[in-house]
C-alpha cells in the first residue's frame, strides 16, 4: 500500500519484523510441545527461548542470506540458529517444513488485523447510533429511484446504515471461527516431521486447533469468508458514502461532509465543498472487489501444493486490510462530523407537495369513494392524477421548456425573461456581494473580521472608482460568455 | 440469457441452427479449396454442396447422436454424411479436427454479433448528436463532486456523452482487426490434416487470413479486445445512465426518462416517475464486468489445448452481446424520449448564486486588487468568502438546524413553524387538490376529461358531507403519523 | 443458462410458474396474519385462498398485462384479483409494495436451491469417503510443485479432497442462517403499509423472522455469504478436477476419468482419453467467479432503493446455482467412476528412487554422523547430493540433451540412435499391432470378438499382399514426416 | 507494491519526485504556449522556467502544506510559487484546474511505463525465438487434454509461445494510440481557464493532441485498452509458465526451470527442484486480473466528474506495471536458462507407442481397407482399438489395480511383489547410494570433490560398523512407516 492510504497498525502487523517474531513464536511453541512428550528437555527449551528472545533477528543479515538460497524461511532459520550453541541448533525447526512455520504465523497476522477492523466497526456503529438517536424525530423525504417517496425520520435512515455496518461487522467476526484451525503436519500433510500429538499441543499454545486433512498448506478456501466479509464491509461503507453524496448535492444539501477551515475546495472553483472523502470511499470499494478476486483465485492449487498463492497473499491481504481500515476511519470521521440541515429536509417535504402521504391517502379514500361507485383502480388513478397536477409546470415554465435558445446572443435575455416570468423575486449572487463590498465573516472559514473589513474596503473602492471595470465585471456574469468556447467542441465533434 | 433481456438478432446468431450452418460453411470452404489444388474434383464438391444445402441438419437427430458419442461436432458430422452417397462421405471433414471447423464458425458468430453492436452504437450517436444540437445554447449548471460548478450548455453535456459512445464504438470496431485471422491447422497446430496452402485458400473464402503459431485452438487472448471493448461500452452507457438519474432527482429534475401513459410507477406510491430504465443499465454493467472476467480467464489453457474455455464461451459470449444490445437499445430509447426541463436548469443557475462565474471573477479581480495590496491568495479567499456568504442560512433556518424535534408529538408543530419562518408562502399539496375536488387532466396520463370531472364530483361530495372523514383525512398529512412505526426499529435495533 | 448446462430442479425453482406460486404464498400469509389481528375475517381469507388456489395464474394473460404497465408484480396482481369477487379484491396485496411480496419469494427460491446444493455435496462426500477407505493403504507419491515429494496413501489424498468439499458444504449451509430474515415493511422500510405485528406473524408462517432496519429492500450484503460459498464450492471442485487431470497425464496415468464405451475421443485422434469433464469444471469455476463479482456489486444501491440489482439477480443467481449443481454432479460422476491404477502409483514410487524418504533419512543421519564431525547443514547437503546422483542422466542421455537434431532429414536416425542407446528394449507401437493384424478385444470399448477378428483378417491380407503400401505405412511412423509442415510456421513467424 | 516484487524503473516513474517533475513540465508547457499567443512575454517564461528548474520541489515542505489544505496539487503550487518573484507568481497555474495539470502528467507516466513493458517483451521474444530455432528439429509429443497427441518439434511449441508474447506486445503497443490525446480544458471541460488554441499548442509540445469532449477529466475508458493489454500479457505469460510446470513434472521432466547451485529446494525435502518461478507467475496473473477489474470500474463517474477513480489509479496502475514487469523479467529468465531434456522427449514418443501417427494411419488405411469392405467408421474403430491394445496393462499390473492393500502391515510386501512382477529390474534409490557411501559430485550443486569424499568415508564407516543403525535405516525406506500417521486423519475425518 502506498503511504497515502496506509493504516499504521496494519502496516506494523504486516512488517517483516512482526512476521519474523511470529515465526519464532511458532517454532518455540513446537519445541515447548516436545518438552511435554519428553522429546526435548525443558532446560533446552528455556535456553533456546531466552537466547533467541534476547537476540532479535537481524533483518539485513537475513535478506543477504535469502539472496543466496532464494528461500526466505530457510534463510531466517540460518539467521536464528547462528545465535544458538551448536548442540542446540538441531532442535530448532526440527522436522518441520517451511509452511508449518509460516501458515500459523500468517493466521496470527490475519486475526490480529481483523481485530482492528472489528474495533473500528464498533466506533462507526457508535457514531451512527448517536446520529440516529439525535435525529430520531427529524422528518425528511425517503427517496426511492431518486424520487421523493414517503416521509421518514433522518434517524431511521441512520438506522439502516447502522444495520449495514452491524451486519457486516458480524460477518468479519464470524470469519474468525473459520480461522481457528491450523496445521503443522509436514511437507505433504501426513505428519512427516511433527506428529499429531505435538501438533495439537503446539497449536493449542498458540490459540489454534488442528485442521485435519490439509496438504502442505491449509485449504485456501478457509480464508475466503474473511476476504469476502472485508470486501462486503467496504462495499457497505461505499453505499453509505453514496447516500451522503446524494444528500449533499446542490442546490439543496440535506447534509454535508465536514469541511476543514483551511481546506481548499478546488483550484479553479473556490466556492466548492466537495464530497471528496465519500467519493474516495467508492474507490476503496473498487479495490476491495479486486483484492477479493485475487484471493478467491487462490483456492486452486496443484496436488499437495504449489506456490501460486504466496505472492498474492503477501500483497492482497495487507492491502485489503489497509483499504478496510481506511474506509472505516474515513467514513466514521464523516459521520461524526456530518453537518445536518433539517431546514432543507423540511423544504424537501414541502416540495414533495403531500405526495409523501399518497399511499395512505389512497388507502383512506378507497372504502369511502366506493360508496360513490369509484373502483379501487380508479382511486389509484385519482391520487396519481393529483400528484401529476401538483407538479404541473406553469405556462411560462412550459414555454421555456419548449423553446431552448438558438444562439449565443439570445441566451442571457432568455434567462432573464425566464427568471422574471417564474423565478424567485430576488436573484442574490456573489456578484452583488463582491461589487458592493458586503463580505461577512463565515463560521467555517478561518478569516478574521479585520481581514474581511479590509477586503470590503478594497472592493468598494475599486468598483466605485472604475466604471469600465464594473462593466467588464458584469460581462463575467453573462452566461453566453461562459459558453463561448464550447463552439470548438461542437465544431470538432459534430462539425457544426 | 433469460427471455426478458434477450435481443432477437443475437439470439438468432447464437442458436444451434445458425451454428450448424456456419460449421457447414467452413467444411464446404475446405473441400472447395481442395478443388483448387486438385485434391478433390470440382464435380464432387458441387454434389456435396448441393446435397447438404438441400438437406438442412436435423437438430433432433443430432442431439440424440451426441448423447451417444458425447462429442457434438462428431455427432454433427454423422448427421451430415448420412445424406451423402457412401463414396462421397470420406471427403467431408476429411483430415480435420473438430476445432478446425468450430473455431472459424465461432469467429463468424462473434463478428456478426459485433456488427449489430456497431450499428446500434450508430443509432445512439445519432440520438445524442440530435440532442446536443437542439440544446447547444441552453445553459445549465455543470456539476463536479455533486456540487454546482460552472455554467455550461446542456448541448455540451450531450457532446461528452456522444464522445464516450463514439470512442467505445471505435474500440468495438477496432477489435474486428484482431479477429480477422483464423486457423485450420489440425489437432496440435502443425498441419496434421490440412496443409498451409489449403488453410490459406479456405480461410480466404470465408474472409479470414491464417494465424500462424496457434495450437489446436487460436490463442484466447485474440478475443479479449472485443470482450473488453463491449464491457467498456456497457460501462460507458452506465455512466450516461447515472448522469440521467442524477439529473432526474426530486425535487427539481432537469430531465426525466420517458414515461408511458399507462405505466405504473410503484404499487404503493402512485406519484412516482422512477428512473427504472437507467437503473437497470447499471445492472447491465455489473454483468458485463462479470462476463469480461470469465473471458479473461480463458487465456490460460494447458499445452496444445484443453477444453476449459468451451463452456465459458458458450455462455459468456452470447450473454455479453445480449447485455450490450440491451444497454444500447434501452439507453437510446431514453435519449430519444428524454424530457428536458430548461426552466429547472435556469432555477439551478439562479440557485448557484453567481458562483458559476467564481473562477472568472477571481481571475478578473487579481490584477485590479493587486493595486490595493490584495495578494493572489487573498483574492481566492475573497471569492470563497463571498460564496459562503451567499449560501449562509437565515437565522431561523439555522435555529432549525440546531434543534431537531425530540418527540413524535412536537414534529408537526416544528415543521409548521419552520415553514412559516423561512419557507414558501404557499404550501400546495395533493391534500388540497383532492379534498377540494380540483383534479385536472394531465398530458401524460391517459384519463379523459369526463372521468376527471366525475372524480372531482365524487370527491367534493364526499369531503363536503363528511366532516369526520375530513378530520381523519387531515391526520394523514400529519408527519408524525407517518413516522410512528419507526419506533419498532429504534427499539429492535438500538433498544431505545 | 443454456440447456446444455441446466439442472432441471434449479430450472424448476427459477421458472416463472414457481415464482408466481411463491408470490401467492406471501400474499396469502399476509392476509392470514391479518385474521389473527382481526383486521380481516377468517372466512374472507379462506375464500380468497381457495379461489386463488383453484385458479392458477395464467402466464400468457400476465405477460400481456405486463407489456402495458411495464411492472411485473402489478400485472400479476391484476391477473390474480380478476378471479376474486369485487368485494374481496381490496384485501389482496393490500397496503403492500411490490418488494414486500417479491423479497420473501426470492429468499424462498434461494433457500430451496441451496438445499439441492447441500444434498449434492452430501453425495460427493460419500463418493470421496468411499474412495478414501478403499485406498487407505495404497501408497502413491505425494506431489508438491509438480515434483515427487514424500510417499502417502491415495486414501489420504482423497481425504484432503473430502475435507475441501466438507468445509465448502458447511459454508453453504452456514449461509442459510444469514437468509432466515426477511421484511414486509413497505416502500421505504418504515411500515407504510403493513405494521410490525403483521410482518412478524406473516413472515413466521413462511419460516422467516423480521430483519429490522431494511429500506424498501433487504441489504444486499445478506446474499453475499451464499454467493461466496457457492463460488468457493465450485472453485474447490475445480481444484480436485485439476488434481485428477494432473494424475491422468500421459505417459503414466495414476487414475483416469470414466470413459464411455461409445465415446469418441477426438475427431482427429482416435487414441485419446481426454479429461474433458474435469477440464469443463475449470470453466465452471471461471463462471462462478464472474457471477460472484456481479452479486458483490449489488451491495451498492441508492438511498431507500433503486433497481440496479434486479436484472443481475434474475440472471446471476439461477446461473450460479446451475453452475454449482453441474460442478457437483459432474465431479461426483468422475469420482464414482474413477479408474485407479495402483500399479502406476508403484512405478512412480520406484522412479522417485527413495527420495520419498529423504526427510526421514536426513533426520536419521543427523545425530549419528555428528559423531563423525558432519554438521547438520552437511547432512542436508549429503542427502541432497544423493538425490541428485540417483537422477543423474546416463552419458548417452546427456549427449542427446546437448545435441538436438539440426534438420528434418536426421530426425529419425537421431531418435533411433537415442532409443537404442538408452531406451527400452522393445519399442511396441500401434504400427506393429495394425500391420500384423494383432488387434484384441478391449474391455472398455464396445467391439465384439467377431468384428475384431474380421478386422485382423483384413489387415493381414492387406499388408501381406501390398508391399508398396507397407513402405508407405512405415513412412507414417517417421517422425520427420510429421514435422514437415512446421516449416511454414518458422518461415511465417521467424522468417527462417 | 511491496519491495519483493518491485521493478526499479517503474518505481522511479511513479515516485513523488517523478510526478512533481511531470506536473512542472505541464505547467511550463502552458506558459510557453501563451508566449506564442503573446499572452505572456517570452522573457517571463524563461525566468520562470530557469528559476523552477534550479529549485527542485521540496517534498517535505509540500507534504506539510498538503496536510493543511488536503489538496495535493494546490499544496504543490504553493511550494512552487514561493521560489518565484511575487510579480511572476500569477503566471503559474494561471486559469488552470488541478486536473489540467495532473491528467497529462499521468498520461506521461503511463506511456513511460508502457515503454519499459514493450522493451521487456522484446527481450522475451528474443529468448523464445532463440529457443525455437535451437530446437526446430527436436521432436516431442504434442499434448492435448493432458494426453499425448501427435508429434511436434519443441521448436514449434516455442513458436506458439512466441506468438502469444508477440500478439500481446502488439496490443500494449496499440494501446499507446488511445493514449495520445489529453486535455487542458478546465473545471468542466468547456475551456473555463485555458482556451482551445493554448490547449493545442501546449499539448503538442508535450507530445499530445487535444481530446475534444472531455469533462474535468478524460473519459476513463481511454485507459482500459492499456490495462486490458497488460492483464492479457500477464495472463499469457502465466499460460507459458503452466506449460513449463507441466513439462517439468516428475518422474520424467522434458524441461526444468534453472536452479541455482546454492538454492534450497525445500526445508523438509532436500531433493526437490521446484518450479517456484513459474508458479509465482500464476500469482501475478491473479493480481493482474484484480487490478484490471479495479481500473474497469473507473469508467463510471458522476456528471462533469467526481474523484472515485483517483485512489484506485494511484495504486492499481503502478502495481499493474510492477506485476507486468515482474512477469516478463522472471519468465524471460526461466526461458533463457531453461534446461531442456530431449532424451526424455524421446522416451515420451516411445511411450506413446505410435499413437502419435494414429491420425495419419487412419487416413492411410481408409481407402485401402475400403477394398476389403471396411467402412470409414470402422477404420476409426480399428485404430482406436489398436491404441487401447498397446496400452493394455499386463496381467500382473491388472491384478495390482484391482487389489489395493488392506492394512499397514501388508503394504511393503505388496509393493515388493508388484515391483518384482512387472517393474524395472533394478530399483535404484538414495538408500543404496547413502548406505554404500557412493555419493558423486553433481554439476549443479556447489559441493567440492574433497567434501564429497569425506562424506562418503563417514557414511561407509557408519553403516559398516553399526548394524542396528542399518536396520533402523532400512525401516525408513519401508513405505508403511511413512503412512502410519495418516491413521490420525482417517480417524479424525471419517472416524475409521
Amino acid at each position: 500500500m502506498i503511504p497515502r492510504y496506509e493504516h499504521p497498525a496494519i502496516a506494523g502487523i504486516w512488517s517483516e519484523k512482526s512476521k519474523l517474531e511470529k515465526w519464532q513464536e511458532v517454532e518455540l511453541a513446537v519445541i515447548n510441545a516436545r518438552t511435554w512428550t519428553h522429546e526435548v528437555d525443558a532446560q533446552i527449551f528455556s535456553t533456546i527461548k531466552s537466547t533467541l528472545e534476547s537476540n532479535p533477528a537481524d533483518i539485513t543479515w537475513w535478506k543477504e542470506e535469502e539472496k543466496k538460497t532464494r528461500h526466505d524461511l530457510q534463510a531466517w532459520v540460518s539467521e536464528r540458529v547462528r545465535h544458538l550453541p551448536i548442540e542446540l541448533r538441531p532442535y530448532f525447526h526440527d522436522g518441520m517444513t517451511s509452511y508449518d512455520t509460516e501458515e500459523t504465523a500468517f493466521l496470527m497476522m490475519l486475526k490480529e488485523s481483523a481485530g482492528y477492523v472489528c474495533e473500528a466497526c464498533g466506533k462507526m456503529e457508535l457514531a451512527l447510533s448517536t446520529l440516529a438517536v439525535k435525529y430520531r424525530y427529524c422528518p425528511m423525504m425517503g427517496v426511492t429511484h431518486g424520487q421523493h417517496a414517503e416521509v421518514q425520520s433522518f434517524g431511521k435512515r441512520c438506522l439502516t446504515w447502522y444495520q449495514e455496518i452491524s451486519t457486516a461487522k458480524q460477518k468479519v467476526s464470524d470469519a474468525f471461527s473459520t480461522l481457528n484451525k491450523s496445521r503443522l503436519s509436514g511437507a505433504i500433510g501426513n505428519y512427516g516431521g511433527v506428529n499429531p500429538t505435538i501438533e495439537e499441543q503446539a497449536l493449542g499454545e498458540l490459540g489454534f486447533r488442528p485442521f485435519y486433512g490439509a496438504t502442505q498448506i491449509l485449504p485456501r478456501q478457509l480464508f475466503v469468508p474473511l476476504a469476502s466479509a472485508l470486501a462486503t464491509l467496504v462495499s457497505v461503507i461505499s453505499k453509505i458514502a453514496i447516500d451522503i453524496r446524494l444528500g449533499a448535492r446542490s442546490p439543496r444539501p440535506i447534509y454535508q461532509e465536514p469541511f476543514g477551515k483551511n481546506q481548499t475546495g478546488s483550484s479553479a472553483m473556490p466556492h466548492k465543498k466537495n464530497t471528496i472523502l465519500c467519493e474516495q470511499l467508492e474507490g476503496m470499494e473498487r479495490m476491495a472487489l479486486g483484492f477479493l478476486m485475487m484471493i478467491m483465485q487462490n483456492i486452486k492449487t496443484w496436488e499437495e501444493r504449489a506456490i501460486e498463492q504466496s505472492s498474492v497473499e503477501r500483497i492482497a491481504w495487507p492491502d485489503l486490510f489497509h483499504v478496510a481500515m481506511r474506509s472505516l476511519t474515513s467514513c466514521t470521521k464523516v459521520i461524526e462530523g456530518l453537518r445536518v440541515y433539517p431546514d432543507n429536509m423540511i423544504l424537501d417535504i414541502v416540495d414533495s407537495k403531500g405526495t409523501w402521504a399518497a399511499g395512505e391517502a389512497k388507502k383512506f379514500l378507497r372504502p369511502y369513494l366506493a360508496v360513490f361507485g369509484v373502483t379501487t383502480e380508479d382511486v389509484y388513478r385519482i391520487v396519481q392524477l393529483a400528484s401529476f397536477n401538483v407538479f404541473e409546470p406553469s405556462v411560462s415554465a412550459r414555454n421555456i421548456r419548449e423553446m431552448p435558445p438558438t444562439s449565443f446572443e439570445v441566451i442571457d435575455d432568455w434567462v432573464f425573461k425566464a427568471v422574471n416570468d417564474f423565478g424567485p423575486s430576488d436573484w442574490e449572487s456573489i456578484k452583488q456581494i463582491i461589487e458592493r463590498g458586503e463580505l461577512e465573516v463565515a463560521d467555517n472559514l478561518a478569516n478574521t473580521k479585520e481581514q474581511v473589513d479590509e477586503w470590503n474596503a478594497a472592493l468598494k473602492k475599486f468598483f466605485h472608482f472604475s466604471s469600465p471595470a464594473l462593466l467588464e465585471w458584469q460581462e463575467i456574469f453573462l452566461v453566453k460568455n461562459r459558453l463561448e468556447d464550447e463552439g470548438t467542441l461542437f465544431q470538432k465533434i459534430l462539425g457544426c
Side-chain angles (χ1 to χ4, degrees), chain A residues 25-37 39 94-97 99-101 103-104 107 180-219 222:
Chain A
E25 274 187 67
V26 177
E27 298 284 354
L28 290 176
V30 171
I31 305 174
N32 194 12
R34 282 172 174 154
T35 64
W36 288 84
T37 57
E39 289 175 62
D94 181 31
M96 290 173 77
T97 197
Y99 247 65
D100 286 343
T101 309
E103 193 81 289
T104 309
L107 282 164
N180 65 0
K181 291 181 177 172
S182 187
R183 52 164 293 288
L184 292 164
S185 51
I188 57 169
N190 66 349
Y191 303 102
V194 172
N195 66 46
T197 315
I198 298 294
E199 180 188 54
E200 189 169 4
Q201 177 70 32
L203 289 179
E205 205 176 307
L206 297 162
F208 295 89
R209 284 182 299 122
F211 179 93
Y212 294 108
T215 59
Q216 186 182 108
I217 56 175
L218 288 172
L222 295 175

Side-chain angles (χ1 to χ4, degrees), chain A residues 245-436:
Chain A
R245 292 170 65 189
L246 289 169
R249 287 174 64 78
S250 301
R252 189 195 284 156
I254 55 171
Y255 34 56
Q256 279 182 323
E257 275 190 16
F259 185 84
K261 283 212 173 191
N262 288 305
Q263 192 172 337
T264 304
S266 149
S267 57
M269 299 173 290
H271 61 285
K272 303 288 296 295
K273 283 182 197 162
N274 295 334
T275 52
I276 49 171
L277 290 177
C278 287
E279 292 166 24
Q280 196 183 76
L281 291 170
E282 187 163 337
M284 294 296 138
E285 181 208 3
R286 293 170 185 182
M287 287 191 270
L289 281 185
F291 292 129
L292 173 60
M293 278 307 287
M294 298 180 192
I295 291 166
M296 283 296 303
Q297 293 177 80
N298 275 348
I299 292 174
K300 213 169 51 184
T301 190
W302 285 14
E303 294 152 324
E304 275 65 60
R305 104 155 287 186
I307 205 160
E308 310 95 340
Q309 106 297 349
S310 172
S311 58
V312 181
E313 289 178 352
R314 287 174 196 263
I315 292 164
W317 274 111
D319 279 9
L320 181 52
F321 279 115
H322 283 301
V323 161
M325 287 305 288
R326 173 76 174 200
S327 291
L328 278 165
T329 55
S330 187
C331 195
T332 301
K333 197 169 121 190
V334 169
I335 295 292
E336 284 171 351
L338 197 73
R339 294 157 177 255
V340 183
Y341 307 143
D343 48 325
N344 287 344
M345 291 175 179
I346 290 174
L347 290 180
D348 276 352
I349 296 174
V350 171
D351 276 352
S352 82
K353 303 191 176 183
T355 55
W356 47 269
E360 285 294 310
K362 194 181 51 156
K363 215 163 138 187
F364 170 84
L365 293 171
R366 197 156 59 183
Y368 291 119
L369 293 186
V371 179
F372 299 88
V374 181
T375 66
T376 298
E377 284 205 339
D378 274 355
V379 171
Y380 184 102
R381 301 208 173 277
I382 284 173
V383 178
Q384 188 185 38
L385 182 55
S387 304
F388 275 62
N389 288 165
V390 282
F391 292 120
E392 196 65 20
S394 66
V395 176
S396 53
R398 195 183 287 260
N399 288 340
I400 290 156
R401 284 192 188 187
E402 281 155 20
M403 303 254 290
T406 52
S407 77
F408 282 126
E409 293 320 308
V410 304
I411 291 176
D412 288 278
D413 288 348
W414 181 81
V415 170
F416 187 76
K417 188 172 174 310
V419 172
N420 257 18
D421 280 5
F422 80 105
S425 50
D426 183 37
W427 191 0
E428 192 195 14
S429 150
I430 61 166
K431 178 169 169 291
Q432 283 77 35
I433 288 185
I434 290 173
E435 77 190 30
R436 296 179 194 151

Side-chain angles (χ1 to χ4, degrees), chain A residues 5-29:
Chain A
Y5 305 112
E6 216 172 46
H7 188 276
I10 302 299
I13 295 168
W14 295 87
S15 68
E16 300 283 28
K17 186 167 163 295
S18 153
K19 182 173 74 176
L20 300 191
E21 283 164 8
K22 284 172 182 64
W23 285 359
Q24 184 159 306
E25 274 187 67
V26 177
E27 298 284 354
L28 290 176

